[in-house]
């Protein structure tokens, strides 16, 4: 029988104490394993790239290879990036060859932050016909001849420390094993805090959008405060740069990547078209940026869509306390820096700080009074992990995972699941209702079939031959709905598999 949908009420956790009391342990209840166990298997290890540049220019000089994304095309080809500068094409046996060397293309690229270098990529849904794909990377501003399209309000180009760059690539031969072609810059955004903290981390197309629909062929970016929380230097810890509609800070952007000269539409900040379906493109307010799709995120670095109904999910990395899974709506405000999870951030109060939380008013918490913010549908606190990885609605062959949203914690490598139906039920406008989360137990089997429970951290340590301080987990999805687990430490792509058989790993060898 299907399990009933459960939505957890956190009123007793969030409203404890007076409205002036600080919250020190937002979610006292611990995440538990409730019998959900899945086998994990190695797919391939990428080529070693450590030593490519001086140690002081590499965020993790000892890391074997730094995988961020695995992407499958409809024709069965599989691509993966190493953020040190390579885009690989994996053959049918998952053996990698270099498709494009981004490191040689972008001499100003920065590699000394957790999310830096060649950060992300996405293929246009019509890549097989038009040869278009898109990348995002970070560059240093010093000595850089390029001029940003956007500088945060109140600053000038002279204040820029780094650039966030989205590029369109076009190949005349989409079927080729290596890239040849041209590139066009879509958008360049200035960073003005000291470090390249929370750069634009993702470029995505909605995989559920069909030709002719409003969303088809539109490019989404991650939502980030571009380091205005903890990016270092005198410009960080700056609430005045968030909650603005005249700025890309904290915003998920939705762009028509076509140049206005080709589309005939309205020009955005960069060389792209503003989709007229974006809420702020149609609000008749010249002070709002039409490319904003949703805003109020700290670091919504991963986006995904439910294949069954197109529901959009964003994983937003919290500050000191709470990690969030959000359902994203056109025009929605997700609260940062005024909210973290279902709490008020201390920065909103006189003398307050970003590491403080306060309870919401009871009538806001239970939904009787609306405060204009969208709240997470699932969350965990920093007793359990420190950086949510992003995740996917599982649609593959592992029966125990069907109907689950699977995600994890980047640093600790723990893997979590929440019922998709419960996530959607929690999207009810009542902040205190959220879906419960359970931890998935990973295991491996030896040649004799004997099962051993493991953590991703243990597997990474074993591969590297030493104890590593963080797992650096990210998730990917195959074209048939199976899930990849990758590590930016050991450079291994792993896959969740059906227990005792090969069905769950069908996407590994294509």
């Amino acid at each position: 029988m299907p399990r009933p949908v459960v939505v957890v009420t956190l009123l007793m956790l969030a409203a404890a104490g007076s409205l002036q009391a600080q919250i020190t342990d937002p979610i006292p209840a611990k995440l538990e394993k409730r019998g959900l166990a899945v086998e994990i298997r190695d797919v391939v290890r990428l080529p070693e790239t450590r030593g490519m540049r001086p140690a002081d220019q590499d965020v993790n000089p000892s890391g074997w290879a730094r995988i961020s994304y695995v992407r499958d095309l409809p024709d069965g080809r599989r691509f993966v990036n190493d953020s040190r500068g390579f885009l690989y094409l994996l053959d049918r046996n998952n053996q990698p060859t270099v498709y494009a060397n981004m490191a040689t293309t972008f001499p100003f690229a920065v590699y000394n932050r957790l999310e830096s270098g060649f950060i992300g990529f996405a293929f246009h849904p019509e890549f097989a016909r038009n040869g278009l794909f898109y990348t995002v990377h970070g560059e240093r501003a010093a000595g850089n001849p390029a001029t940003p399209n956007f500088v945060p309000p109140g600053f000038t180009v002279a204040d820029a420390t780094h650039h966030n760059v989205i590029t369109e690539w076009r190949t005349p031969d989409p079927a080729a094993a290596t890239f040849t072609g041209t590139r066009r810059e879509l958008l360049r955004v200035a960073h003005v805090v000291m470090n390249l903290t929370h750069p634009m981390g993702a470029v995505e197309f909605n995989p559920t959008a069909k030709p002719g629909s409003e969303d088809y062929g539109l490019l989404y970016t991650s939502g980030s405060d571009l380091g205005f929380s903890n990016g270092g230097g005198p410009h960080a810890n700056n609430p005045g740069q968030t909650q603005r509609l005249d700025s890309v800070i904290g915003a998920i952007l939705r762009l028509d990547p076509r140049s206005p000269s080709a589309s005939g539409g309205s020009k955005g900040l960069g060389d792209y078209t503003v989709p007229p379906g974006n809420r702020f493109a149609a609000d008749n307010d010249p002070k709002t940026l039409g490319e904003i799709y949703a805003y109020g995120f700290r670091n919504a670095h991963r986006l995904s869509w439910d294949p069954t109904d197109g529901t959009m999910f964003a994983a937003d990395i919290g500050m000191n306390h709470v990690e969030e899974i959000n359902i994203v709506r056109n025009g929605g405000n997700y609260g940062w820096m005024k909210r973290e999870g279902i709490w008020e951030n201390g920065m909103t109060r006189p003398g307050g700080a970003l590491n403080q939380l306060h309870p919401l008013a009871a009538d806001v918490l239970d939904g009787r009074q609306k405060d204009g913010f969208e709240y997470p549908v699932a969350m965990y606190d920093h007793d359990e992990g420190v950086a949510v990885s992003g995740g996917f609605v599982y649609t593959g062959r592992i029966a125990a995972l069907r109907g689950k949203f699977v995600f994890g914690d980047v640093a600790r490598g723990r893997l979590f699941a929440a019922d998709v139906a419960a996530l959607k039920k929690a999207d009810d406008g009542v902040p205190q209702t959220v879906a419960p989360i359970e931890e998935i137990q990973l295991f491996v089997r030896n040649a004799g079939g004997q099962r051993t429970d493991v953590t991703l951290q243990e597997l990474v340590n074993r591969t590297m031959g030493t104890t590593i301080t963080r797992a650096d987990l990210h998730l990917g999805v195959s074209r048939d709905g199976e899930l990849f687990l990758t590590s930016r430490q050991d450079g291994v792509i792993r896959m969740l598999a059906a227990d005792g058989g090969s069905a769950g790993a069908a996407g590994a060898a294509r």
Side-chain angles (χ1 to χ4, degrees):
M1 294 179 60
R3 292 169 55 185
V5 173
V6 178
V7 179
V8 175
T9 300
L10 293 176
L11 178 61
M12 62 284 194
L13 307 181
S18 72
L19 285 179
Q20 299 303 315
Q22 284 189 39
I23 303 297
T24 56
D25 186 5
I27 309 175
K30 301 303 179 186
L31 293 183
E32 297 179 347
K33 297 172 184 174
R34 300 201 292 268
L36 187 56
V38 182
E39 184 176 358
I40 184 170
R41 299 178 185 173
D42 289 1
V43 175
V44 69
R45 192 181 197 187
L46 290 190
E48 180 182 10
T49 54
R50 56 186 172 183
M52 279 186 61
R53 53 189 45 83
D56 64 347
Q57 297 177 27
D58 192 326
V59 65
N60 181 25
S62 64
W64 183 271
R66 297 189 57 76
I67 306 171
S68 295
Y69 288 92
V70 182
R71 306 275 197 191
D72 279 7
L73 294 186
D75 63 10
R77 287 184 295 168
R78 181 167 294 160
F79 291 82
V80 57
N81 72 313
D82 180 335
S83 62
R84 289 192 177 116
F86 294 106
L87 180 59
Y88 292 101
L89 171 63
L90 305 186
D91 67 18
R92 298 195 67 82
N93 294 313
N94 291 296
Q95 297 307 301
T97 57
V98 174
Y99 180 74
N101 185 340
M102 304 298 181
T104 59
T105 305
F106 299 124
F108 289 92
V110 176
Y111 298 90
N112 64 358
R113 303 298 296 175
L114 289 172
E115 205 164 14
S116 62
F118 170 31
I119 301 171
F121 68 100
F123 289 89
H124 192 282
E126 296 184 6
F127 173 74
R129 182 183 62 81
N130 63 25
L132 296 176
F133 70 99
Y134 299 83
T135 62
V136 57
H137 75 281
E139 295 185 353
R140 67 180 184 273
N144 198 320
T147 301
N149 305 116
F150 173 82
V151 179
F155 296 95
T156 69
V157 171
D159 297 307
T161 55
H162 301 89
H163 297 169
N164 300 260
V165 186
I166 298 176
T167 304
E168 177 186 84
W169 305 78
R170 183 188 297 270
T171 175
D173 186 4
T178 57
F179 174 80
T180 58
T182 58
R183 72 179 191 270
R184 176 176 69 93
E185 190 168 294
L186 265 65
L187 178 63
R188 182 175 289 260
V189 171
H191 234 73
V192 299
V193 299
M194 182 171 66
N195 300 309
L196 185 67
T197 303
H198 304 169
M200 289 181 172
V203 279
E204 297 284 352
F205 290 94
N206 177 355
T208 71
K210 304 300 182 185
S213 68
E214 177 190 280
D215 217 21
Y216 187 72
L218 300 186
L219 185 69
Y220 289 80
T221 74
S222 60
S224 167
D225 69 5
L226 297 188
F228 276 112
S229 52
N230 63 332
H235 301 148
N237 300 320
N238 190 335
Q241 288 293 330
T242 62
Q243 292 292 304
R244 303 180 66 129
L245 290 172
D246 61 347
S247 170
V248 303
I249 307 301
I252 292 174
L253 307 181
R254 183 170 71 163
L255 324 172
D256 180 339
R258 295 177 298 169
S259 173
S261 62
S263 70
S266 298
K267 184 183 183 305
L269 293 168
D271 189 20
Y272 56 83
T273 301
V274 173
N278 288 0
R279 175 180 170 184
F280 301 112
D283 65 356
N284 296 314
D285 185 347
K287 296 180 181 179
T288 62
L289 294 179
E291 46 266 85
I292 294 176
Y293 185 76
Y295 67 111
F297 298 98
R298 180 174 180 268
N299 188 15
H301 68 140
R302 291 293 188 271
L303 313 173
S304 67
W305 287 260
D306 183 347
T308 65
D309 65 3
T311 298
M312 181 180 174
F313 292 95
D316 195 13
I317 294 178
M319 182 72 186
N320 291 90
H321 296 284
V322 183
E323 304 301 306
E324 302 181 9
I325 300 296
N326 291 280
I327 289 177
V328 182
R329 288 193 179 88
N330 190 353
N333 180 356
Y334 291 78
W336 185 251
M337 291 179 175
K338 293 186 175 182
R339 299 289 184 269
E340 184 176 350
I342 60 170
W343 292 271
E344 178 188 344
N345 190 275
M347 183 62 87
T348 64
R349 299 188 174 197
L354 282 172
N355 63 355
Q356 299 171 352
L357 294 182
H358 298 272
L360 296 178
D363 60 351
V364 173
L365 193 63
D366 65 16
R368 288 174 292 146
Q369 177 68 38
K370 303 303 180 184
D371 62 1
F373 297 116
E374 305 287 340
Y375 286 92
V377 293
M379 59 186 183
Y380 63 92
D381 69 9
H382 284 195
D383 292 341
E384 310 291 350
V386 295
V388 64
S389 69
F392 298 90
V393 172
Y394 182 79
T395 60
R397 296 173 177 85
I398 304 172
L401 293 183
R402 291 191 197 122
K404 303 283 188 183
F405 184 84
V406 180
F407 60 105
D409 188 78
V410 175
R412 298 184 186 174
R414 298 174 71 186
L415 195 64
F416 303 130
D419 285 327
V420 175
L423 293 173
K424 293 174 182 177
K425 189 172 182 179
D427 186 33
D428 60 357
V430 179
Q432 70 184 14
T433 55
V434 294
I437 297 170
E438 62 182 306
E439 184 173 6
I440 298 172
Q441 176 64 62
L442 299 174
F443 65 88
V444 295
R445 291 191 183 276
N446 63 19
Q450 183 178 8
R451 169 179 160 171
T452 302
D453 288 345
V454 295
T455 66
L456 181 66
Q457 185 72 68
E458 289 170 342
L459 293 176
V460 171
N461 291 348
R462 188 180 306 168
T463 302
M464 296 299 289
T466 187
T467 299
I468 304 296
T469 58
R470 51 185 286 139
D472 261 331
L473 165 70
H474 285 293
L475 275 71
V477 64
S478 73
R479 65 187 178 116
D480 53 358
E482 303 301 342
L483 294 181
F484 302 105
L485 274 62
T486 63
S487 169
R488 291 191 297 195
Q489 296 285 345
D490 67 3
V492 176
I493 300 173
R494 299 175 172 91
M495 182 172 257
L496 300 183
D499 186 9
S502 60
R510 291 149 295 133

